[in-house]
Amino acid sequence: MHDDRTLVEARLRRVLDERIRPAVYPESVPLQVAVWHAPGEPVPVEEGLAAEPEPVEAGARWGAPWGTSWFRVTGTVPEAWAGRTVEALLDLGFDENMPGFQCEGLVYRPDGTPVKGLNPRNQWVRIGAPVAGGEEVVLHIEAASNPVILDYHPFRPTRLGDKETAGHEPQYTLARMDLAVFDEPVWQLVMDLEVLGELMAELPVDSARRHDILRAVERALDAVDLQDVNGTAGRAREQLTGVLSAPAVPSAHRISAVGHAHIDSAWLWPLRETVRKVARTTSNMTALIEDEPEFVFAMSQAQQWAWVKEHRPEVWARVKKAVAEGRFVPAGGMWVESDTNMPGSEAMARQFVHGKRFFLDEFGIENEEAWLPDTFGFAAGLPQIIRAAGAKWLLTQKISWSQTNTFPHHTFQWEGIDGTRIFTHFPPVDTYNCSMKGSELAHAASNFKDKGRARHSLAPTGWGDGGGGTTREMVAKAARLRDLEGSATVVWETPRAFFEKAEAEYPEPPVWVGELYLELHRATLTSQAKTKQGNRRSEHLLREAELWAATAAVRTGFPYPHEELDRIWKTVLLHQFHDILPGSSIAWVHREARATYERIAAELNDIITAAQRALAGEGSRHLVFNPAPHSRHGVPAAGAGAPRLPQGTEVSPRAAGGYVLGNGLLRIEIDAHGLVVSAYDLDAGRETIAPGGAANLLQLHPDFPNMWDAWDVDSFYRNTVTDLTDAESVELGEDGASVRIVRSFGASRVTQVLTLPPGERRLAIDTEVDWHETEKFLKLAFPLDLHAERYASETQFGHAYRPTHTNTSWEAAKFEACNHRFVHLEEPGWGVAVVNDSTYGHDVTRTVRTDGDRGTTTTLRVSLLRAPRFPDPETDQGVHRFRHALVPGASIADAVREGWRINLPERHLTGAHEVAPLVTVDNDAVVISAVKLADDGSGDVVVRFHEAHGGRARATLTAGFEVTDVTVTDLLERPLTDAVGQDRDGERLTVRLRPFQLMTLRLRRR
């Protein structure tokens, strides 16, 4: 038989495009359209509905960037259409290739009832099925003219990312606005042919199944009268019945389709627009649930649910109804789909506390899965937090984006730093925007790395990023793929149903230990420095506010600010979303974030001051409040008293220029260029700085990645570096005990102050950068005389180790990594730490010196600033202030302590008396991360702590108040039935912790 395969396949493509798809709407009449443009920010629905619009026609330009236009469409269903299905086709000027990334709309009835959302892949509104004929149609569209930021030529700088710079030129051209007859048999034929054509393309050319489909398609095309598609669609479908009813083979891969719309809480649009995106998507999904009895939709991010409840009560009512039916599923149990690398320990815990509590309070639903399809890698401390929140599963997709290494599993146990394991799944479909294409399903089946041991995978199905969700076309395709020969099988299921099946069939999956590092988007650890500083400062201010307010509440009856703290926590958690905290959003988002963090800081400082004033009383004694979890200068952790200050630091000129600082513990030499050429540990008799090296060295690199400017730094940036050694001045500071250095480079200027505090083993480095570079990367280098094969960097509730070598591609790919408050490097018996108050990115390299002692130089470099131009062309321009400290001779315990101290400075107050801590612990390895009153308003004191040094710890916690009961709880402050018993003697409690173990105690007060 002659091979005419390509001929038939080409025929299918053309007939579908030019004859069958156009026949879905065989008749249409235009609607009358009028528009009113809101003068500023979006207006309430009732105001938009009441506005007086002006007539407009298809072809008109509309929509200034970030504007809102209210369209009113009116018309009459022709009498001749009686008994037929009629839809309104409302095309605002969509590009079908950009769902979620351009203009969108929400359709309302005249009474304000939302109907459904409009987006490039969802332009129809059902009028009637069937209609009687003669119906009057009146619809209102709240249309958002969001500009296209990520265009066909991506990553080009644009001013459209902020309404203050975007201009006022219309962005869109109004297109088709019609009433049309919807021919369902033709639409069903389109679905049949698309499914079979896509499946056929994935089958081997020599397979019998492919040729069976080919011949059935050929017969169907023969049966279609191209001059009367609508009259012959039925007989064409008859030719496809046999190939569509052939069942899948027993070994077929099994896909759990979950309706999905990953909506970025902010990204290429501001937060206020996400509120509307969520309303549009949830309107669409509740409508689809009503039409499709098997469809299940899952939505994560409790914040987005809360927005619907607050801003769209009519939509909320529909959502609640669908949730009650089990069809609209709260997923993930987090406040937002946050970054997981940079949020601190408590913040990461509170993501689950606030997210899970919202779903429990609103629906009585307990989430057992974490749902993070798009987050940029996963910190090694996360499994313990997931488990402590009462969850046990994790889903993500993003690791498939790694550029260097292919992750070896799709279903596995992920083990964190404390040994906790979480059953984890990476969908092998490799997208969180699955559209049920044959190529996607075939890829999921062939790509699945656990074949032979497992058979199930999950496919998040629907348009996401900018929202939109699942379409009726996706549902129709899934129905045909439920049990189809040659394809993976597809069934709509909840995340819970998938995980239960996957876990049951794969009881002993492989184990991955340590962080899930994304070999991409590494620059998100540095971009938008002020957003990162705002986050770090807010986290520590919240710790202080809870600590001092709880202490004052117990001691003085101070009114604990439950509502204020709840609101502020939720705001901070929202800004940890994985395109806000990582610095990858438009300028508008980060401009608003800076203002929000300033407001939060003012509120929290007011709470802290009021609580401390209540504790200190009226008096003239000088008191120092120590919010850190370790004592400082004789002031106990979480208490206040008079400090015992050590003797001062000696400063003398250096013979070759510069200065020498000494405090009896360290001797620091700063040369004439302002570089630290010696940091000598007097007790150990040990030099910190590598021979011939200089610390406090600012280094500047060109920074123009191949793509994803704000997200990525590519390894070739290291090929070119400029050491910023020229100094305008190196002189004593005004206090006479510090050294002030000023440098200029390019259009920027750096001022540093180096201080050796009396009685402390750390060199404090305060850096102010007036930054006006573009496409540059600024690092601060510390070449250390250390032979270290690995180093520790702080993560949530502990620290993780990374190798300093590049033996394999896995190590080489980690050329930029995350730390929280410290990085620690060590030889047996002696180490060095670098601590910080607001930076996250760093790199560690090692070289062997070729002359002299041939020793090893291990260089730690802190990442300070970048200057990408997309999506914010003015990223980080302006003045920035950073605090770091070099700690020679540091153990891991020193690193932990100094990291806390630099982030929680002492506060000075005058008062009447000292303040004893509310809770104390007698072992520095056990770090208290939170002291607060219980969220339920009971007045119970909640204490959260963890083992921080990486070893076993026994400690006694002592409450400074009368305790009637102690309960071990989960993060939501619920009793744990499987908690290990603790030894208690009155207000004293002995605890025993495994390495990095997290524990929460609830102390009931008399």
Side-chain angles (χ1 to χ4, degrees), residues 793-869:
S793 60
E794 189 185 32
T795 188
Q796 292 98 1
F797 298 112
H799 53 268
Y801 288 98
R802 298 186 184 95
T804 61
H805 60 75
T806 56
N807 281 1
T808 73
S809 59
W810 293 89
E811 286 91 24
K814 295 181 181 180
F815 58 82
E816 185 79 4
C818 183
N819 65 278
H820 287 187
R821 287 168 292 225
F822 70 80
V823 173
H824 180 256
L825 301 98
E826 187 175 32
E827 291 178 0
W830 194 83
V832 179
V834 173
V835 299
N836 73 85
D837 76 338
S838 60
T839 57
Y840 296 91
H842 69 274
D843 69 271
V844 175
T845 56
R846 56 187 285 184
T847 59
V848 174
R849 300 185 287 273
T850 57
D851 54 5
D853 65 354
R854 297 185 180 273
T856 300
T857 298
T858 304
T859 301
L860 164 65
R861 299 196 307 162
V862 175
S863 302
L864 296 182
L865 289 165
R866 299 183 67 238
R869 300 185 65 208

Side-chain angles (χ1 to χ4, degrees), residues 55-72:
V56 67
E57 295 182 353
R61 298 285 290 170
W62 72 278
W66 305 115
T68 300
S69 298
W70 282 84
F71 290 93
R72 184 182 67 195

Side-chain angles (χ1 to χ4, degrees), residues 36-309:
W36 174 74
H37 302 293
E41 282 294 278
V43 299
V45 173
E46 56 271 19
E47 184 177 340
L49 294 175
E52 287 297 326
E54 298 287 335
V56 67
E57 295 182 353
R61 298 285 290 170
W62 72 278
W66 305 115
T68 300
S69 298
W70 282 84
F71 290 93
R72 184 182 67 195
V73 296
T74 58
T76 304
V77 177
E79 298 283 355
W81 292 358
R84 305 173 77 178
T85 298
V86 175
E87 296 182 345
L89 301 181
L90 306 173
D91 186 346
L92 299 173
F94 296 126
D95 179 340
E96 290 192 358
N97 294 317
M98 292 190 175
F101 291 92
Q102 52 169 228
C103 61
E104 300 171 25
L106 183 55
V107 180
Y108 297 88
R109 297 188 180 94
D111 65 359
T113 303
V115 180
K116 66 189 295 286
L118 298 177
N119 62 62
R121 297 295 181 97
N122 209 327
Q123 303 177 22
W124 59 273
V125 175
R126 180 65 57 88
I127 301 301
V131 296
E135 291 95 335
E136 294 298 322
V137 176
V138 180
L139 297 172
H140 296 261
I141 307 168
E142 180 190 17
S145 51
N146 302 331
V148 175
I149 306 295
L150 192 65
D151 212 335
Y152 288 103
H153 301 286
F155 317 122
R156 290 187 178 178
T158 175
R159 298 284 177 178
L160 291 171
D162 195 328
K163 65 176 181 177
E164 296 184 353
T165 60
H168 304 283
E169 287 297 313
Q171 302 288 292
Y172 297 102
T173 301
L174 193 65
R176 185 178 188 182
M177 307 291 275
D178 292 347
L179 284 179
V181 172
F182 175 72
D183 191 325
E184 183 164 354
V186 175
W187 182 82
Q188 296 287 2
L189 176 60
V190 172
M191 296 299 99
D192 291 345
L193 290 172
E194 284 189 359
V195 166
L196 291 171
E198 291 167 2
L199 173 58
M200 184 168 57
E202 299 303 321
L203 295 171
V205 172
D206 59 356
S207 71
R209 175 62 170 164
R210 179 163 182 159
H211 286 272
D212 286 345
I213 294 173
L214 184 76
R215 294 307 157 207
V217 167
E218 182 178 41
R219 291 193 299 271
L221 295 178
D222 289 342
V224 173
D225 182 346
L226 299 186
Q227 308 307 312
D228 184 17
V229 173
N230 301 90
T232 56
R235 72 187 191 196
R237 293 196 71 203
E238 291 173 0
Q239 302 301 318
L240 303 173
T241 302
V243 289
L244 283 170
S245 61
V249 299
S251 61
H253 187 67
R254 298 169 185 173
I255 292 178
S256 296
V258 177
H260 188 240
H262 166 67
I263 303 177
D264 287 307
S265 289
W267 181 28
L268 304 180
W269 44 85
L271 287 168
R272 66 91 154 143
E273 192 55 33
T274 312
V275 175
R276 301 200 295 175
K277 283 178 173 287
V278 173
R280 297 174 200 129
T281 298
T282 52
S283 295
N284 269 351
M285 295 303 96
T286 52
L288 192 60
I289 283 170
E290 292 173 1
D291 293 340
E292 301 290 348
E294 294 185 353
F295 175 61
V296 176
F297 181 77
M299 189 168 90
S300 68
Q301 306 193 75
Q303 170 68 89
Q304 296 186 359
W305 292 71
W307 281 333
V308 177
K309 180 181 180 182

Side-chain angles (χ1 to χ4, degrees), residues 398-426:
K398 200 69 171 190
I399 297 298
S400 69
W401 285 41
S402 285
Q403 288 180 318
T404 306
N405 298 284
T406 300
F407 197 81
H409 319 295
H410 280 110
T411 302
F412 60 99
Q413 291 279 9
W414 177 30
E415 182 177 317
I417 55 174
D418 74 314
T420 297
R421 291 181 176 181
I422 294 294
F423 188 84
T424 303
H425 181 67
F426 293 169

Side-chain angles (χ1 to χ4, degrees), residues 989-1001:
L989 181 73
T990 300
V991 296
R992 296 168 179 83
L993 300 177
R994 301 184 308 274
F996 300 128
Q997 183 181 352
L998 163 67
M999 184 175 289
T1000 304
L1001 296 180

Side-chain angles (χ1 to χ4, degrees), residues 410-476:
H410 280 110
T411 302
F412 60 99
Q413 291 279 9
W414 177 30
E415 182 177 317
I417 55 174
D418 74 314
T420 297
R421 291 181 176 181
I422 294 294
F423 188 84
T424 303
H425 181 67
F426 293 169
V429 71
D430 280 350
T431 178
Y432 49 79
N433 295 322
C434 178
S435 62
M436 286 291 129
K437 286 183 179 177
S439 57
E440 294 171 334
L441 303 189
H443 178 73
S446 63
N447 185 43
F448 188 54
K449 292 183 172 58
D450 301 287
K451 290 188 286 285
R453 296 183 180 274
R455 191 171 293 166
H456 284 83
S457 72
L458 187 147
T461 302
W463 301 116
D465 291 315
T470 317
T471 65
R472 63 182 177 184
E473 288 79 12
M474 297 175 195
V475 176

Side-chain angles (χ1 to χ4, degrees), residues 847-985:
T847 59
V848 174
R849 300 185 287 273
T850 57
D851 54 5
D853 65 354
R854 297 185 180 273
T856 300
T857 298
T858 304
T859 301
L860 164 65
R861 299 196 307 162
V862 175
S863 302
L864 296 182
L865 289 165
R866 299 183 67 238
R869 300 185 65 208
F870 181 88
D872 177 4
E874 300 295 326
T875 301
D876 279 333
Q877 302 299 295
V879 177
H880 302 268
R881 295 177 179 87
F882 306 97
R883 298 187 68 215
H884 294 85
L886 175 67
V887 190
S891 65
I892 197 73
D894 297 322
V896 171
R897 182 186 64 251
E898 294 299 332
W900 278 101
R901 286 180 175 178
I902 197 172
N903 284 274
L904 287 166
E906 300 160 315
R907 292 177 181 261
H908 296 260
L909 216 68
T910 56
H913 46 74
E914 296 183 351
V915 178
L918 195 61
V919 179
T920 62
V921 61
D922 66 353
N923 184 343
D924 277 356
V926 177
V927 170
I928 295 175
S929 63
V931 176
K932 59 189 286 294
L933 294 194
D935 291 341
D936 61 8
S938 63
D940 294 352
V941 174
V942 172
V943 184
R944 188 150 34 248
F945 51 91
H946 69 285
E947 195 290 318
H949 296 172
R952 300 268 175 170
R954 181 181 184 276
T956 299
L957 272 78
T958 303
F961 55 93
E962 191 171 354
V963 176
T964 63
D965 186 49
V966 178
T967 307
V968 181
T969 74
D970 66 5
L971 293 179
L972 277 70
E973 302 168 9
R974 303 175 297 189
L976 290 176
T977 57
D978 59 348
V980 177
Q982 308 297 322
D983 298 328
R984 180 181 165 214
D985 179 12

